[in-house]
Amino acid sequence: MSDSVYREAILDHSRNPRNKGTLEPSDFTYEDVNPLCGDEIRIDVRTDGERVTEIRFSGRGCAISQAAASMLTEMVEGRPLDEVKAISRDDMLEELGVPISPARMKCAMLGLKVLKAGIYGVSPADEAL
Ligand code: FES
């Protein structure tokens, strides 16, 4: 796909976020902020013990952070937890499909960082994503 198709997808996800909301109760919930800007993402997940059965995100932030979190929820819904744990920064960048400048990298990875923190129960260092 061309860059413009990916840009459209990011705009679409930021304007019409998928899986936006909260789950109460959830099997795990985590939230974090981008320390550079104060933007926040919270992710709530339900599992059947092996797979992600439901996922919601909430928060506020720039188009990239919100679109990336929305895309991430679509990537992981229904997938085994082991596969979700293996999602890398490169996988997230591939899903976004457009070059992400170093200044926006924390925006693009905020949702993934929060999701992994929820799964592992600790916040991973950025380099570990
Ligand atoms: Fe805050 Fe992007 S500017 S997450």
Side-chain angles (χ1 to χ4, degrees):
M1 277 196 280
S2 70
D3 267 17
S4 67
V5 173
Y6 283 111
R7 280 202 181 90
E8 288 279 311
I10 289 172
L11 272 180
D12 181 43
H13 276 267
S14 76
R15 287 181 184 143
N16 305 295
R18 322 299 199 265
N19 299 308
K20 188 104 194 244
T22 56
L23 294 171
E24 293 182 20
S26 67
D27 290 305
F28 62 82
T29 292
Y30 199 85
E31 57 190 328
D32 204 352
V33 298
N34 181 342
L36 297 180
C37 62
D39 292 352
E40 310 161 348
I41 291 205
R42 165 181 158 160
I43 291 184
D44 295 353
V45 175
R46 286 186 186 148
T47 80
D48 62 6
E50 291 183 5
R51 285 174 187 274
V52 172
T53 53
E54 283 181 89
I55 180 166
R56 297 285 184 279
F57 85 97
S58 53
R60 59 188 179 81
C62 63
I64 295 277
S65 73
Q66 302 302 298
S70 172
M71 289 173 163
L72 182 64
T73 64
E74 288 199 321
M75 283 167 74
V76 305
E77 192 156 37
R79 280 176 76 178
L81 291 169
D82 284 349
E83 283 184 25
V84 175
K85 285 179 180 170
I87 294 174
S88 66
R89 167 191 290 249
D90 286 347
D91 295 331
M92 192 70 240
L93 290 176
E94 192 176 318
E95 190 72 16
L96 286 161
V98 290
I100 302 290
S101 69
R104 305 316 295 259
M105 196 57 81
K106 281 188 189 298
C107 307
M109 295 302 149
L110 184 58
L112 183 59
K113 185 178 179 190
V114 168
L115 177 62
K116 292 214 174 177
I119 287 188
Y120 286 106
V122 291
S123 185
D126 289 342
E127 316 73 66
L129 286 174

